[in-house]
């Protein structure tokens, strides 16, 4: 699957994960995503709790096509510089990044008094 192809898989919870990517990752920085999440938690805690459960489930049991989905719907292209060359993250590093974002979102929710279970 290439980033331009529509998603055709059937991974559990993928629809809400795609929605999460579109809202919190597409054309935004990590700081902007956290700020938007804070607003969502304050504005609609029930919806935020549902979104958090969904994203936590995907991060805990990622589909085999996680990285292409992240690239396609969230434009999440992660890389580091190595001797003036841009090196893309491995699939494991993408998952690590997602889990860090989920951790941050969960902390924000908990600070606002929202449980994640």
């Amino acid at each position: 699957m290439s980033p331009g192809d529509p998603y055709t898989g059937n991974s559990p919870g993928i629809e809400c994960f795609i929605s999460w990517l579109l809202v919190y990752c597409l054309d935004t920085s990590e700081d902007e995503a956290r700020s938007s999440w804070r607003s969502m938690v304050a504005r609609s805690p029930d919806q935020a709790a549902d979104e958090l459960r969904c994203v936590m489930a995907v991060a805990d049991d990622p589909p085999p096509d996680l990285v292409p989905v992240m690239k396609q719907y969230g434009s999440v292209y992660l890389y580091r510089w190595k001797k003036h060359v841009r090196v893309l993250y491995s699939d494991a590093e993408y998952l690590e990044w997602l889990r860090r974002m989920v951790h941050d979102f969960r902390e924000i929710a908990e600070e606002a008094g929202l449980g994640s279970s």
Side-chain angles (χ1 to χ4, degrees):
M1 180 171 127
S2 68
D5 294 337
Y7 178 75
T8 57
N10 61 357
S11 300
I14 201 69
E15 294 84 12
C16 66
F17 180 65
I18 288 171
S19 295
W20 181 84
L21 288 169
L22 291 169
V23 170
Y24 300 104
C25 296
L26 187 63
D27 294 331
T28 187
S29 70
E30 290 180 17
D31 288 338
E32 291 168 330
R34 289 182 196 96
S35 178
S36 293
W37 178 247
R38 280 185 189 89
S39 296
M40 169 57 86
V41 169
R43 184 178 64 251
S44 184
D46 290 340
Q47 182 179 347
D50 289 344
E51 289 180 11
L52 185 57
R53 277 191 293 274
C54 166
V55 177
M56 287 172 58
V58 171
D60 288 344
D61 187 18
D65 51 359
L66 176 69
V67 173
V69 169
M70 289 174 67
K71 289 178 179 179
Q72 179 181 351
Y73 291 99
S75 290
V76 178
Y77 289 88
L78 303 171
Y79 60 89
R80 75 180 62 70
W81 289 98
K82 186 175 181 179
K83 295 185 181 184
H84 305 292
V85 175
R86 199 165 54 171
V87 178
L88 286 174
Y89 276 24
S90 67
D91 287 1
E93 290 170 312
Y94 268 87
L95 180 56
E96 181 181 320
W97 176 88
L98 175 61
R99 287 179 174 161
R100 182 175 48 80
M101 290 297 290
V102 167
H103 176 266
D104 292 353
F105 275 42
R106 183 175 35 223
E107 281 189 344
I108 290 166
E110 288 172 356
E111 287 170 5
L114 180 68
S116 60
S117 54

